[in-house]
Amino acid sequence: MFRDVSSCNTYNYGDALYWDSRYIQEAGGAFDWYQRYSSLRPFVRRYVPTSSRVLMVGCGNALMSEDMVKDGYEDIMNIDISSVAIEMMRRKYEFVPQLKYMQMDVRDMSFFPDESFDSVMDKGTLDSLMCGTDAPISASRMLGEVSRLLKPGGTYMLITYGDPSARMPHLNRPTYGWNIFLYNLPRPDFKRPGGCSSTKSYLEPIPITEKGLLPADFVLEDPDSHFIYVCKKMDDTELRNIPTYPLTSEIL
């Protein structure tokens, strides 16, 4: 079974104080977790029109939003729990009207009305909450807010280390009303053994079993690769009974 490999015992990634301290030390720098926009672009362009109103949760000091603006995106609201990161990014992009910044906890985004966004982008933020105290409760609060903020037909795109056994029980709940498409992407610096090439298309969704797991014959080329969950919010005509996957003590 593929497991979630987040380093939860080293730092409390769900704590604002940790992030404030980190961003003070990295003043003026930039860091993109997991993948750069160039690698994610095919997925973003497929599911998120450039005219979308986008919410970037846990923006930190990443270049993702800047790169999306350069690619034609017109309206990106960036939020982060760290006031240090938000103030730094607000100053950096004060003359880029497509980018807006607010300090906010993803577990309480009540500042925004229901169905405010066409897309929510998450590159490691849910993973951070899963490393904090009361992880299942924090995850449920965040995902409930994400679902509330998405317009019908909108998408929540999650880039994570978490394989389906660790993430589907949190994501695939009837109350969210999401159709979920799963992809897998190797790390940017991944080298295949012996320099061999791959015939696998990373742009094709991975089928999952009825229990929400990877197929038994699925092979990860990169054991530390990233999973991309595209959660599309169904409208009233699409809502139907969808399978659920029980939370167990193994994944909490």
Side-chain angles (χ1 to χ4, degrees):
M1 179 184 294
F2 303 116
R3 303 304 302 157
D4 185 344
V5 296
S6 299
S7 301
C8 295
N9 295 326
T10 306
Y11 303 109
N12 186 1
Y13 289 132
D15 188 347
L17 293 177
Y18 165 80
W19 293 108
D20 283 345
S21 175
R22 175 168 178 154
Y23 290 126
I24 288 173
Q25 294 175 19
E26 295 179 358
F31 181 78
D32 270 278
W33 288 86
Y34 301 167
Q35 300 279 346
R36 290 291 303 272
Y37 179 66
S38 56
S39 299
L40 298 173
R41 183 180 186 272
F43 306 97
V44 177
R45 292 302 296 257
R46 175 180 293 187
Y47 290 104
V48 184
T50 55
S51 59
S52 299
R53 188 180 187 213
V54 178
L55 176 65
M56 184 74 66
V57 296
C59 64
N61 59 0
L63 297 173
M64 177 84 170
S65 295
E66 175 186 335
D67 291 340
M68 288 179 66
V69 167
K70 291 177 179 177
D71 199 27
Y73 287 88
E74 303 168 355
D75 187 358
I76 305 177
M77 170 61 72
N78 300 270
I79 67 170
D80 198 281
I81 197 171
S82 170
S83 59
V84 173
I86 290 298
E87 184 57 31
M88 178 173 57
M89 298 297 274
R90 190 179 284 151
R91 289 197 303 267
K92 182 177 180 179
Y93 295 111
E94 61 178 320
F95 299 115
V96 182
Q98 299 94 329
L99 296 177
K100 304 172 185 66
Y101 289 86
M102 291 187 66
Q103 190 276 332
M104 193 174 296
D105 189 327
V106 292
R107 293 166 290 193
D108 179 7
M109 297 185 282
S110 54
F111 176 85
F112 301 120
D114 295 358
E115 301 181 3
S116 292
F117 296 94
D118 301 291
S119 178
V120 177
M121 307 290 299
D122 175 0
K123 196 149 61 81
T125 298
L126 181 64
D127 287 9
S128 295
L129 290 183
M130 295 303 294
C131 291
T133 57
D134 298 322
I137 296 174
S138 290
S140 178
R141 289 173 61 190
M142 172 187 167
L143 295 173
E145 282 287 83
V146 169
S147 177
R148 179 183 68 82
L149 293 180
L150 275 178
K151 298 176 183 177
T155 57
Y156 167 50
M157 186 173 294
L158 168 66
I159 297 90
T160 172
Y161 270 120
D163 68 79
S165 70
R167 291 293 177 264
M168 287 297 282
H170 297 282
L171 294 171
N172 204 15
R173 297 183 177 182
T175 187
Y176 301 149
W178 291 339
N179 269 330
I180 302 176
F181 305 92
L182 175 67
Y183 300 86
N184 180 255
L185 197 61
R187 292 166 296 166
D189 59 351
F190 175 67
K191 299 291 190 299
R192 295 178 181 84
C196 59
S197 60
S198 173
T199 59
K200 180 185 294 186
S201 172
Y202 301 114
L203 301 181
E204 292 299 321
I206 302 169
I208 55 175
T209 69
E210 291 184 357
K211 294 184 178 181
L213 303 176
L214 292 170
D217 60 352
F218 184 82
V219 177
L220 284 176
E221 290 187 332
D222 176 8
D224 292 327
S225 59
H226 304 117
F227 290 90
I228 301 173
Y229 297 82
V230 178
C231 308
K232 186 176 177 63
K233 187 174 182 179
M234 293 180 281
D235 57 33
D236 291 338
T237 61
E238 296 174 305
L239 286 172
R240 64 183 186 278
N241 292 328
I242 56 177
T244 58
Y245 310 101
L247 287 170
T248 65
S249 59
E250 293 179 351
I251 61 175
L252 298 181

